[in-house]
């Protein structure tokens, strides 16, 4: 199995560390290690000070699995498996799927959520949102693409790249459709906890349906992508066993320092998340102003949750050429929808970074120059 190149990751590999303003990143501003350690609880601080850099337990540091389990309503530590976020997707897809299986996935989306299924010889159908309806994912459209033997349904809410988030009622309908289908659900909850208010937060799929795998991690909501810590939580023992056996061929175990830092972060989660949500709210205000002033260049659906949004570009030359011109002219990095395989008319914008206002100002100046 050798999947097609991951277009978005290849794009970032070219530009992420040379562009001046990262206006399209999906993670929150990177959190400082010094602040994290300084604010840590006594026990994890002691673990940090006495850490030995040997191998760790393959399924994850027990204290970390305990802490992760506590973030759900009814999940035991033994139902949590820790790996790098992207690795979790890789392990899960390879553990669940066989050639010929039918898979449904939200689209556009994070490529590995469906590309690995293609590479494994599966038949993949897309569940697409309606842009004219605020990028709404209609439960009826999910029902329409299901087949009698669909093996896996993959969704991602809050959604990358549109910022869509079903309402509680819609999500109940989505869960009902999924459960009635008998398929396993892989629920990508990487942007969960970044809702503007707690009432909007959807339940984790693992707390609602028995055949669900909830997938989350430290990269986006916590601004700690450099830890490379993610996890899956599921009550399906067979999936946990298969994923564990496969991790012996990827990383064997996770990074010992990262696990302790992730533990510290989860134990201080409200303080950390509040900071990120505050920045997102401020940047959303900036975005509202920017798009109101730029209504001739973009049509915009504000994100309902998470860090990203997916405005439509109204200028002539297409998103890819536009992003290239903007990068050359201003140092502002935007992400064209071509990396999502979703036409050439949208760009992804990320609202999680400190320099969002500066980046949008540069972009506004550039557009004002008539370029
Ligand atoms: C929806 C979604 N899932 C998973 C991931 C993978 O996270 P990581 O890059 O930390 O491996 C990303 C990263 O952009 C994502 O947007």
């Amino acid at each position: 199995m050798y999947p097609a190149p991951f277009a978005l990751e290849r794009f970032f590999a070219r530009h992420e560390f040379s562009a001046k303003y990262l206006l399209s990143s999906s993670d929150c501003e990177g959190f400082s290690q010094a602040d994290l350690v300084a604010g840590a609880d006594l026990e994890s601080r002691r673990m940090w000070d006495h850490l030995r850099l040997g191998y760790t337990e393959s399924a994850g540091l027990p204290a970390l699995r305990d802490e992760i389990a506590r973030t759900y309503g009814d999940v035991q530590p033994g139902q949590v498996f820790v790996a790098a976020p992207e690795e979790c997707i890789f392990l899960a897809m390879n553990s669940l799927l066989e050639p010929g299986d039918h898979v449904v996935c939200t689209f556009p989306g994070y490529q590995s959520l469906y590309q690995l299924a293609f590479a494994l010889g599966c038949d993949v159908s897309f569940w697409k949102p309606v842009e004219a309806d605020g990028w709404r994912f209609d439960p009826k459209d999910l029902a329409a693409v299901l087949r009698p033997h669909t093996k896996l349904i993959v969704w991602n809410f809050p959604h990358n790249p549109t910022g869509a988030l079903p309402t509680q009622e819609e999500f109940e309908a989505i869960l009902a459709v999924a459960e009635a289908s008998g398929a396993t659900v892989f629920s990508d909850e990487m942007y969960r906890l970044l809702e503007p208010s707690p009432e909007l937060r959807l339940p984790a799929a693992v707390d609602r349906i028995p055949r669900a795998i909830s997938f989350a991690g430290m990269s986006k909501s916590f601004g700690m992508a450099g830890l490379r810590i993610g996890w899956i939580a599921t009550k399906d023992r067979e999936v946990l066993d298969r994923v564990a056996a496969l991790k012996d061929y990827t990383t064997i175990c996770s990074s010992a320092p990262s696990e302790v830092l992730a533990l510290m972060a989860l134990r201080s989660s409200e303080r950390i998340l509040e900071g990120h949500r505050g920045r997102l709210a401020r940047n959303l205000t900036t975005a509202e102003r920017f798009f109101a002033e730029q209504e001739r260049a973009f049509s915009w659906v504000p994100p309902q949750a998470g860090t990203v949004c997916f405005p439509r570009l109204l200028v002539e030359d297409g998103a890819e050429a536009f992003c290239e011109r903007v990068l050359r002219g201003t140092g502002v990095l935007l992400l064209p929808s071509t990396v999502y395989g979703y036409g050439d008319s949208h760009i992804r914008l990320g609202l999680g970074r400190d320099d969002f206002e500066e980046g949008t100002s540069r972009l506004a100046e550039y557009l004002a120059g008539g370029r």
Side-chain angles (χ1 to χ4, degrees), residues 6 8-9 26-27 84-87 89 109-110 112-113 156 158-160 188-191 215 218-220 224-226 228-229 340 348:
F6 199 134
L8 176 148
E9 299 296 355
S26 59
D27 51 347
E86 174 72 302
E87 183 186 15
I89 302 176
Y110 193 65
S112 56
L113 294 175
N156 162 227
H159 183 242
N160 169 9
D188 181 326
E189 298 162 9
M190 284 294 281
Y191 297 88
F215 158 55
M218 305 306 295
S219 304
K220 311 298 177 179
M224 299 183 188
R228 311 309 300 129
I229 293 288
Y340 283 92
R348 186 182 84 177

Side-chain angles (χ1 to χ4, degrees), residues 294-335:
Q294 302 296 338
E295 61 182 11
R296 294 210 350 244
F298 303 99
S299 81
W300 180 57
V301 177
Q304 286 155 307
T307 57
V308 291
C309 59
F310 207 43
R312 177 182 279 273
L313 188 66
L314 305 174
V315 296
E316 295 290 316
D317 58 353
E320 195 166 305
F322 176 77
C323 292
E324 258 171 42
R325 275 198 291 124
V326 168
L327 182 61
R328 267 201 315 273
T330 64
V332 171
L333 184 64
L334 301 167
L335 191 65

Side-chain angles (χ1 to χ4, degrees), residues 117-199:
F118 277 123
L120 288 160
C122 300
D123 194 358
V124 181
S125 304
F126 290 135
W127 175 24
K128 296 181 181 170
V130 184
E131 182 178 5
D133 200 5
W135 290 119
R136 177 168 175 264
F137 281 92
D138 191 329
K140 289 201 197 78
D141 293 339
L142 169 61
V145 289
L146 287 171
R147 296 185 193 160
H149 299 291
T150 300
K151 178 83 164 282
L152 182 69
I153 302 172
V154 184
W155 65 56
N156 162 227
F157 302 125
H159 183 242
N160 169 9
T162 63
L165 181 72
T167 62
Q168 300 289 350
E169 296 70 35
E170 284 165 347
F171 194 58
E172 289 307 314
I174 290 166
L175 289 169
V177 168
E179 202 170 3
S181 78
T184 296
V185 167
F186 184 87
S187 173
D188 181 326
E189 298 162 9
M190 284 294 281
Y191 297 88
R192 192 161 173 266
L193 309 177
L194 293 179
E195 301 79 8
S197 64
E199 320 80 72

Side-chain angles (χ1 to χ4, degrees), residues 206-229:
V206 66
D207 280 328
R208 293 305 312 279
I209 40 180
R211 296 179 71 90
I213 300 162
S214 279
F215 158 55
M218 305 306 295
S219 304
K220 311 298 177 179
S221 317
F222 286 83
M224 299 183 188
L227 294 184
R228 311 309 300 129
I229 293 288

